[in-house]
PDB file of all heavy atoms in Angstrom:
ATOM      1  N   CYS A  56      56.069  62.979   2.441  1.00 45.00           N
ATOM      2  CA  CYS A  56      55.547  62.756   3.807  1.00 45.00           C
ATOM      3  C   CYS A  56      54.135  62.173   3.707  1.00 45.00           C
ATOM      4  O   CYS A  56      53.793  61.195   4.408  1.00 45.00           O
ATOM      5  CB  CYS A  56      55.524  64.072   4.554  1.00 45.00           C
ATOM      6  SG  CYS A  56      54.806  63.945   6.198  1.00 45.00           S
TER       7      CYS A  56
ATOM      8  N   LEU B  47      58.178  71.105   9.259  1.00 50.00           N
ATOM      9  CA  LEU B  47      57.540  70.066   8.445  1.00 50.00           C
ATOM     10  C   LEU B  47      58.255  68.731   8.570  1.00 50.00           C
ATOM     11  O   LEU B  47      57.657  67.693   8.761  1.00 50.00           O
ATOM     12  CB  LEU B  47      57.471  70.504   6.968  1.00 50.00           C
ATOM     13  CG  LEU B  47      56.661  69.573   6.083  1.00 50.00           C
ATOM     14  CD1 LEU B  47      55.216  69.573   6.451  1.00 50.00           C
ATOM     15  CD2 LEU B  47      56.821  69.989   4.645  1.00 50.00           C
ATOM     16  N   VAL B  48      59.627  68.786   8.542  1.00 48.00           N
ATOM     17  CA  VAL B  48      60.416  67.551   8.677  1.00 48.00           C
ATOM     18  C   VAL B  48      60.063  66.926  10.008  1.00 48.00           C
ATOM     19  O   VAL B  48      59.806  65.712  10.109  1.00 48.00           O
ATOM     20  CB  VAL B  48      61.934  67.854   8.577  1.00 48.00           C
ATOM     21  CG1 VAL B  48      62.733  66.642   8.985  1.00 48.00           C
ATOM     22  CG2 VAL B  48      62.311  68.306   7.148  1.00 48.00           C
ATOM     23  N   LEU B  49      60.061  67.724  11.090  1.00 50.00           N
ATOM     24  CA  LEU B  49      59.817  67.177  12.417  1.00 50.00           C
ATOM     25  C   LEU B  49      58.395  66.576  12.542  1.00 50.00           C
ATOM     26  O   LEU B  49      58.239  65.495  13.067  1.00 50.00           O
ATOM     27  CB  LEU B  49      59.950  68.313  13.484  1.00 50.00           C
ATOM     28  CG  LEU B  49      61.405  68.620  13.861  1.00 50.00           C
ATOM     29  CD1 LEU B  49      61.436  69.824  14.816  1.00 50.00           C
ATOM     30  CD2 LEU B  49      62.085  67.425  14.524  1.00 50.00           C
ATOM     31  N   SER B  50      57.394  67.268  12.012  1.00 49.00           N
ATOM     32  CA  SER B  50      56.024  66.820  12.162  1.00 49.00           C
ATOM     33  C   SER B  50      55.798  65.545  11.340  1.00 49.00           C
ATOM     34  O   SER B  50      55.090  64.638  11.771  1.00 49.00           O
ATOM     35  CB  SER B  50      55.030  67.906  11.786  1.00 49.00           C
ATOM     36  OG  SER B  50      54.809  67.903  10.411  1.00 49.00           O
ATOM     37  N   CYS B  51      56.458  65.477  10.177  1.00 45.00           N
ATOM     38  CA  CYS B  51      56.345  64.313   9.314  1.00 45.00           C
ATOM     39  C   CYS B  51      56.886  63.104  10.023  1.00 45.00           C
ATOM     40  O   CYS B  51      56.306  62.019  10.056  1.00 45.00           O
ATOM     41  CB  CYS B  51      57.073  64.544   8.007  1.00 45.00           C
ATOM     42  SG  CYS B  51      57.064  63.138   6.886  1.00 45.00           S
ATOM     43  N   ASN B  52      58.036  63.272  10.664  1.00 48.00           N
ATOM     44  CA  ASN B  52      58.716  62.227  11.386  1.00 48.00           C
ATOM     45  C   ASN B  52      57.867  61.741  12.551  1.00 48.00           C
ATOM     46  O   ASN B  52      57.727  60.552  12.824  1.00 48.00           O
ATOM     47  CB  ASN B  52      60.057  62.748  11.827  1.00 48.00           C
ATOM     48  CG  ASN B  52      60.962  61.612  12.332  1.00 48.00           C
ATOM     49  OD1 ASN B  52      60.868  60.535  11.794  1.00 48.00           O
ATOM     50  ND2 ASN B  52      61.737  61.867  13.351  1.00 48.00           N
ATOM     51  N   GLN B  53      57.302  62.715  13.272  1.00 47.00           N
ATOM     52  CA  GLN B  53      56.477  62.383  14.453  1.00 47.00           C
ATOM     53  C   GLN B  53      55.243  61.588  14.060  1.00 47.00           C
ATOM     54  O   GLN B  53      54.930  60.600  14.688  1.00 47.00           O
ATOM     55  CB  GLN B  53      56.038  63.699  15.092  1.00 47.00           C
ATOM     56  CG  GLN B  53      56.190  63.686  16.582  1.00 47.00           C
ATOM     57  CD  GLN B  53      56.145  65.112  17.132  1.00 47.00           C
ATOM     58  OE1 GLN B  53      55.514  65.960  16.490  1.00 47.00           O
ATOM     59  NE2 GLN B  53      56.773  65.367  18.211  1.00 47.00           N
ATOM     60  N   GLN B  54      54.580  62.029  12.971  1.00 45.00           N
ATOM     61  CA  GLN B  54      53.402  61.365  12.477  1.00 45.00           C
ATOM     62  C   GLN B  54      53.744  59.903  12.172  1.00 45.00           C
ATOM     63  O   GLN B  54      52.998  58.975  12.539  1.00 45.00           O
ATOM     64  CB  GLN B  54      52.890  62.061  11.264  1.00 45.00           C
ATOM     65  CG  GLN B  54      51.541  61.565  10.750  1.00 45.00           C
ATOM     66  CD  GLN B  54      51.136  62.224   9.447  1.00 45.00           C
ATOM     67  OE1 GLN B  54      51.945  62.896   8.840  1.00 45.00           O
ATOM     68  NE2 GLN B  54      49.922  61.997   9.023  1.00 45.00           N
ATOM     69  N   SER B  55      54.860  59.724  11.505  1.00 44.00           N
ATOM     70  CA  SER B  55      55.279  58.398  11.102  1.00 44.00           C
ATOM     71  C   SER B  55      55.509  57.488  12.301  1.00 44.00           C
ATOM     72  O   SER B  55      55.128  56.339  12.319  1.00 44.00           O
ATOM     73  CB  SER B  55      56.558  58.498  10.264  1.00 44.00           C
ATOM     74  OG  SER B  55      57.228  57.254  10.244  1.00 44.00           O
ATOM     75  N   GLN B  56      56.121  58.058  13.387  1.00 43.00           N
ATOM     76  CA  GLN B  56      56.366  57.254  14.594  1.00 43.00           C
ATOM     77  C   GLN B  56      55.060  56.852  15.251  1.00 43.00           C
ATOM     78  O   GLN B  56      54.902  55.708  15.695  1.00 43.00           O
ATOM     79  CB  GLN B  56      57.227  58.055  15.558  1.00 43.00           C
ATOM     80  CG  GLN B  56      58.700  57.980  15.251  1.00 43.00           C
ATOM     81  CD  GLN B  56      59.533  58.926  16.120  1.00 43.00           C
ATOM     82  OE1 GLN B  56      58.970  59.678  16.893  1.00 43.00           O
ATOM     83  NE2 GLN B  56      60.825  58.837  15.967  1.00 43.00           N
ATOM     84  N   SER B  57      54.074  57.762  15.383  1.00 41.00           N
ATOM     85  CA  SER B  57      52.851  57.407  16.061  1.00 41.00           C
ATOM     86  C   SER B  57      52.069  56.363  15.244  1.00 41.00           C
ATOM     87  O   SER B  57      51.445  55.501  15.798  1.00 41.00           O
ATOM     88  CB  SER B  57      51.985  58.677  16.277  1.00 41.00           C
ATOM     89  OG  SER B  57      51.369  59.055  15.088  1.00 41.00           O
TER      90      SER B  57
END
Side-chain angles (χ1 to χ4, degrees):
Chain A
C56 176
Chain B
L47 187 65
V48 169
L49 281 175
S50 85
C51 178
N52 191 34
Q53 224 163 28
Q54 187 185 11
S55 161
Q56 278 173 355
S57 76

